[in-house]
Each structure stands twice: as C-alpha cells, then as structure tokens.
Amino acid sequence: MLLSSAPASARLFVSELSVLFRRWRTWTMLAALAAVPVLIGLAVRFSPKGPPSGRGPAFLDQITHNGLFAGVVGLVVCTPLFLPLTVGVVAGDTIAGEANLGTLRYLLAAPAGRVRLLVVKYLASAVFCVAAALAVVVGGTLTGAVLFPLGQATLLSGDTISPGEAFGRLLLMAGYVTVSLLGLSAIGLFASTMTNVPVGAMAATIVLAVVSQVLDALDQLDWLHPWLFSDHWLSVADLLREPIAWGSFGENTLLQLGYIALFGALAYGRFTTKDVLA
Amino acid sequence: MKRIWTRWLPAAAVPAVIAVGVLAAGAAAVSPPPPATPEQVLGLVASHAARQFSGTVEEKADLGLPSIPSQALAPATKSATLGSEAALLELLTTAHTARVYADGPTKLRVQVMDQLAERDAIRNGNDAWTFDSKTNEVTHTTLPAGTGSEPSPTAKAPVMTPDQLAQRFLAAAGPSTNVTLGQSAPVAGHSAYALVLTPKTSGTLVSSVQIAVEAQTGLPLSVDVYAKGQKDPAFHSAFTKLDLGAPDASVFAFTPPAGATVKQQPAPTPKASAGTMPKSPSTASPKASAGTTPKSPESAPSWDTVLVVPAAKVPAGLLDQPLVKQLATPVAGGRLLSSSLVNILITDDGRVLAGAVPASTLLAKAAQ
C-alpha cells in the first residue's frame, strides 16, 4: 500500500523534511552541535599549555597534529549526551507534536495514512540523525582546518595515515554515530505515539538514553550490556584502529536494527489502535 | 476498528524473531575432531605448525578480587611507582579484547583494544615495539639476532595469546600432572580437542586447566584455569575469531608516530627462571612479577611451589603503598593479598611469598 502511493509518500516525505529543516529549533540544535568541536578547537589552540597527554577527552592531544581530530573529539564528546538530546527532541516531537498542534487529523485524512505517516516521520528523524552527526564533523573540520595543520594523523594503533584517509575515517565515524542513533530514534517515535504532549515524549526518550548508559556502566549487569542500545556507542573509536575493527560496526548495526524493528512494531501497534482526536 | 489486537502482533513477533536469530547464530555446526588419545593431542600441540594466524582474543579473570573501576586506577597507572601494579590490577580485574596477528616465530602483533584507546605490542624481526595510545609512548627494543621467543607481556600490553599461555602450561605438565581429554567443543568456529590438566597434588588452589587444541593444526585456541571451589574459570583466554591465513605484512610494520615519546630499552637478558627476580628494578618491580604468578605454576616444577622473594630484592616501603594497603588484608606477620587462584603474602620483614596455594601454606612457609 506504500508502493501504490509512492509519489504521495515521497511528497509527504519531502514536506516533512522541509517542515523539519525550516524550524528554528532544528537549526539551533545543529548549530549547537557544530559549536562543540569549535569550542574544543579554540580551547586547545589558545590554552597557554598544550593539552596534557592522556587527560581530558580522548584524542584531545591529537588535535595539534591534525586538525581533523577536532571533529573526532567532537563526536566522542557529543555521543553520550548532546546527540541523544537533539535526537530525542526531534524523534519525540514526530507524532506528539502534530497531535499537540491539532494537525494530526489532517495528516491522516489520506487512506492508509497511519502507517505511511509513521514511516515518513521515522525517515525524517533518521535524516536528522545524519544531519546531526555531519554538523559535528563539519564544525570540527572547519575549526581544525583554520586553527591547526591538517597533517598526518596517528591512529589508536600507532600507525600513521594521510590527511585524506583521515577525513575518510572521520566520515565513517559520522556514519557509525548516525547508525548508533537510529535505535534511539525508533524509541522516540514510539514514545511520541504514547502521548499528545511532545515534551513528555522528548523527556522520556532522553531519559532512556541516559538510563541505558548508566546501566551500561554497571559491571554487575554485564549480562544485559549486549542488549542495551548504547552499548556500542563509544566503540566508534574502532574505526580509528589499523586495520579497522569492523566487528563493532556490524554488531552495532544489528543491534540498532533490532531496536528499530521492536519499537517500530510497538509504535505501529499503538498508533494504529489509537483514537486520534486532535 | 475490529480485531484491534492484531495490530499488536508485529510487536510480539519481533522479540520472537530476534530470539530465534540469536539461538540460530549460537549453534554453528562444526564437526567434532576425530578420536585421539591425550598423548596424540599433546604431540599435535608440540609439533603445531600454525604459525600464521590472525584473530581476536578475549581474556578475562575472575579471581574474586574486587573490581576496581578503571577511572580509579587511571591516575595510578600514570604514576611512576605504581604504574605496573595498577596496570596489573587492571589486567586481573577487568576483561580485555585483543587482536592478534602472527606470521612465523618473529612476527607478532598484539593489539589490546580498550575503550577509546589501544595498547600495542609488535615484534617484527629483531625489532620489538610497544605503543600506548593513551600516553602516546613508544618503547623500542632491538633483540639479538636469532631470538625466537615472542615478546612477553608487559604492563603496556598485558595480554598473552592462548597459544603462548598453553605452551607454558604444557611445558610444565610433567609427572605432577594428569593429562586427560575432555568433551571437545568448537572454539571460534574451529573444531578442537579439549585437553584437561589436573594437578596431582591437593596442596594447590588450581583445580584444573583446560586447553582447547585446534584439531587440524594443533594451535591452542583457549585456556581456562579453574580454581578450587569456583564454577567459572578463574582465568580465561580464548580466540573468539580466528583466521589461519597469513596476515598482511603491513600489519607488522611499525614506525613511531610523530609526537610520540620513544624510549629505547635494552634487550632483555635470557629468560629468568621462576625463582629468580629480574635484576633491574626499573623494568619490573617485584610486585609486578609476583603478580604474574597466575602463570607461574606452569613454569615452576610443581603446582604447589611457593615463590619466595628475599627482602633484599623487594623495594623498601612496598607495604606502605596505598594500593597494597587497600587490597591486602593484615594477617599475623604481614599482609595477605588473597584471590581464588593465587595468594601473595608480604611479610613484615619485607619478603614476598606467592603461589597458587592456600594462605596457610604461605604463612607456614613464612614462619620457617
């Protein structure tokens, strides 16, 4: 039923994207994300002493050798809180935001509207995940290029790669971070179908992201760790090993697909049985 | 909206599908190895020719020691006096994953994959390197030509391959050990024999050592050391992925990265036997070597050997160090660091006694 109305779905998707990216809120969040590596770069460049080796966020001392590492540090710093925060806001707003504004009824006027709307809403929030990760990368790359030399980059394994390859790895890391956030997006979509108050769905999503990371830090719960959607978030650094450790990329993708399937199905169950009054 | 409950069917089906998928992935079909006697398997290991492989090794210890958060240990790891102890404690209380590449006797690379960090040990011909991404420190040792041994684990890269570990245990499996074959089980998708070494003496904390041996090549794939009175292995080292092809040669090439601190280290003197301590206190403090005693029973002639370090070779003030004070409980005549597999006693007169034996044996020996 999606295929039969492909042009209509595409139109809906395009209009969803334009609504999302015409919002001040979206651009403010992206700008805030891009500002993180900028601030880090400025702090490293203008601090009287060089960054201490082995302290502070990982890779901080690498920035002075290769500016691209500003983007790497930015991604690592943003992964635990800032990125989930922005994704939670966007994903939590998907359905509940329309319900709150009273526009949900009109969106559902078309036949087979609910499933299509869910899919389109989810895809739009996935596009935001890409944009969020890229915002950090762009902010980091520009800062690094302006403030630092773009020389050889040292990997975690001690091997050295060219600036071009380093940029490729940075883009791969952005891809990894995007994938990492897709599961959380699905959770946000489900939370958004549960309520008509967008702030509630946003808060629930963000709290879950924090709870998952707290559980991940408790050694006593190590049997649970492989099932937590945040378990592989910081394994993004596996892309900075030589040769690249693809294992965590694959495991992370499978895990996120599982979360998308589960919470997508839950959102379907909830949204298609819900009375839409607003 | 009739039959509304059917809309929830997908949500119920997804967990079921995931469960089936997880179970199916766990049950990989590997044919069991052909029947053999323990002697044949020992011969297979002794003559094993798989010097080329690349794989992932998982190592974990469950010694009944308190788990110390790595954040708490991090400052200690940087300190000059406590660095090796802290690194060792980290090895004994947390799990590690490492990638191992080997090509012949003189090419080996071990990458310990920590979160957002990595420690490397590389042996390429006569050059031995270590690299620590957290401190950006490189050490370089030029080994004398013809040295066949692989780089021993250091505080920087404290992981041994199951191969290295198993060879040590088997070298010591003399008349004091019963060797049998256990239930064979595949390891890392390879069919494997299970050798079980059981100490004949009852005076040791080691209940048994199980070594999985790859059925075709004889490469040891996993080592599990079981302590008495503990169901889970006290020490576990196993391949989780293994490829028996030659790794790419570029893996072994190492050039110190720009900006790294490079320290030249003298080539190690021929391997010290279990009873003697390293001469130079700068390369290894007695605590560090005492801590390697989980692996010392195999190099000692019997399982219940007690290693005694005379006070003259122990740096003064070991008892006053905070880490020792925190972990070792006071006993009559000294402090005891007790675990399910190894006990270490630091006596008040400065000696260090260690062994895979009950604490009472150490105390009795100290009183002699």
Side-chain angles (χ1 to χ4, degrees):
Chain A
M1 61 191 167
L2 274 176
L3 286 179
S4 61
S5 55
S9 300
R11 263 203 311 280
L12 185 61
F13 180 56
V14 170
S15 92
E16 253 325 299
L17 281 185
S18 71
V19 167
L20 179 63
F21 284 98
R22 266 198 316 240
R23 279 194 167 151
W24 277 108
R25 183 173 72 194
T26 307
W27 287 104
T28 315
M29 289 193 298
L30 291 177
L33 286 172
V36 170
V38 175
L39 285 177
I40 292 171
L42 288 173
V44 170
R45 178 71 181 78
F46 294 110
S47 68
K49 296 180 291 181
S53 186
R55 294 224 193 117
F59 314 116
L60 194 60
D61 50 341
Q62 294 278 345
I63 297 180
T64 46
H65 302 298
N66 189 316
L68 287 179
F69 271 88
V72 174
V73 178
L75 279 178
V76 171
V77 167
C78 289
T79 295
L81 186 62
F82 294 130
L83 282 167
L85 201 75
T86 54
V87 168
V89 167
V90 170
D93 193 52
T94 44
I95 304 294
E98 303 281 3
N100 191 42
L101 289 174
T103 46
L104 194 52
R105 259 186 308 181
Y106 305 108
L107 280 172
L108 293 177
R114 294 196 179 194
V115 178
R116 184 168 69 188
L117 186 66
L118 267 186
V119 172
V120 163
K121 285 283 186 185
Y122 182 73
L123 289 180
S125 64
V127 170
F128 179 79
C129 292
V130 178
L134 282 180
V136 180
V137 167
V138 168
T141 308
L142 292 181
T143 315
V146 171
L147 296 178
F148 303 101
L150 294 182
Q152 305 267 303
T154 304
L155 296 171
L156 285 177
S157 314
D159 300 86
T160 308
I161 54 170
S162 68
E165 204 191 333
F167 189 67
R169 298 245 182 161
L170 186 56
L171 287 180
L172 269 180
M173 288 178 76
Y176 186 102
V177 169
T178 305
V179 171
S180 293
L181 294 170
L182 290 180
L184 184 66
S185 279
I187 294 174
L189 182 74
F190 172 58
S192 193
T193 60
M194 298 293 286
T195 173
N196 288 345
V197 186
V199 176
M202 293 175 194
T205 312
I206 296 160
V207 165
L208 275 177
V210 174
V211 167
S212 171
Q213 292 180 80
V214 169
L215 295 180
D216 215 2
L218 294 176
D219 282 343
Q220 286 78 2
L221 296 174
D222 53 359
W223 54 271
L224 181 68
H225 290 175
W227 300 97
L228 293 172
F229 60 89
S230 64
D231 190 41
H232 296 288
W233 279 6
L234 287 180
S235 302
V236 62
D238 281 2
L239 296 171
L240 289 177
R241 306 186 196 277
E242 182 67 37
I244 293 177
W246 288 107
S248 57
F249 203 113
E251 283 167 25
N252 187 34
T253 309
L254 268 182
L255 182 72
Q256 302 300 334
L257 283 177
Y259 268 92
I260 294 170
L262 177 62
F263 281 91
L266 282 173
Y268 165 80
R270 166 72 186 159
F271 191 49
T272 52
T273 57
K274 182 182 178 179
D275 289 329
V276 174
L277 301 170
Chain B
M1 284 282 178
K2 47 185 175 176
R3 287 200 297 144
I4 249 176
W5 60 273
T6 53
R7 309 287 174 90
W8 290 96
L9 276 183
V14 167
V17 170
I18 291 175
V20 169
V22 167
L23 290 178
V30 175
S31 57
T37 63
E39 288 71 33
Q40 284 173 325
V41 177
L42 281 176
L44 188 66
V45 181
S47 66
H48 91 74
R51 303 301 282 176
Q52 295 183 329
F53 58 85
S54 52
T56 308
V57 173
E58 201 179 70
E59 197 173 89
K60 63 185 170 203
D62 182 5
L63 294 175
L65 289 172
S67 167
I68 302 165
S70 53
Q71 296 95 315
L73 277 178
T77 318
K78 306 251 159 33
S79 108
T81 50
L82 282 176
S84 49
E85 283 92 340
L88 190 84
L89 273 173
E90 199 242 332
L91 162 70
L92 291 182
T93 58
T94 55
H96 293 274
T97 307
R99 289 192 295 182
V100 180
Y101 302 88
D103 189 357
T106 61
K107 282 186 177 180
L108 179 79
R109 179 163 193 165
V110 179
Q111 300 181 313
V112 184
M113 303 204 283
D114 304 312
Q115 191 171 64
L116 300 177
E118 186 170 310
R119 286 165 288 173
D120 276 46
I122 304 130
R123 165 88 194 269
N124 189 9
N126 291 330
D127 290 313
W129 303 90
T130 68
F131 174 71
D132 186 341
S133 79
K134 272 191 192 148
T135 55
N136 206 11
E137 274 175 7
V138 175
T139 66
H140 177 230
T141 310
T142 308
L143 301 167
T147 318
S149 72
E150 288 142 344
S152 57
T154 62
K156 299 283 181 218
V159 164
M160 297 187 86
T161 64
D163 184 23
Q164 292 170 326
L165 262 179
Q167 299 291 0
R168 286 204 178 186
F169 276 106
L170 290 171
S176 63
T177 312
N178 278 326
V179 182
T180 52
L181 272 186
Q183 182 71 40
S184 62
V187 176
H190 290 256
S191 140
Y193 295 107
L195 272 180
V196 182
L197 314 181
T198 318
K200 282 180 182 163
T201 169
S202 61
T204 171
L205 293 172
V206 179
S207 124
S208 69
V209 176
Q210 297 198 4
I211 300 172
V213 177
E214 218 268 336
Q216 261 106 50
T217 57
L219 178 75
L221 298 182
S222 79
V223 174
D224 288 274
V225 184
Y226 289 87
K228 281 188 176 141
Q230 191 176 313
K231 199 171 135 272
D232 296 323
F235 188 81
H236 167 84
S237 169
F239 281 106
T240 53
K241 272 185 213 139
L242 179 68
D243 176 8
L244 289 173
D248 196 73
S250 66
V251 166
F252 304 104
F254 185 80
T255 320
T261 346
V262 183
K263 283 186 195 156
Q264 291 290 338
Q265 284 197 338
T269 44
K271 218 176 194 58
S273 72
T276 50
M277 296 301 300
K279 301 273 185 303
S280 145
S282 65
T283 49
S285 78
K287 186 72 191 312
S289 5
T292 54
T293 41
K295 294 152 210 154
S296 81
E298 71 277 14
S299 41
S302 91
W303 296 90
D304 52 359
T305 303
V306 175
L307 165 73
V308 184
V309 184
K313 293 194 174 168
V314 179
L318 182 65
L319 265 178
D320 299 325
Q321 292 194 350
L323 263 178
V324 175
K325 274 192 169 163
Q326 229 172 352
L327 288 168
T329 46
V331 289
R335 272 176 182 270
L336 181 73
L337 178 63
S338 183
S339 73
S340 58
L341 194 61
V342 181
N343 281 311
I344 300 167
L345 176 70
I346 307 166
T347 62
D348 287 332
D349 56 11
R351 286 173 298 156
V352 174
L353 289 86
V357 294
S360 54
T361 314
L362 286 185
L363 288 166
K365 183 102 181 175
Q368 277 172 20

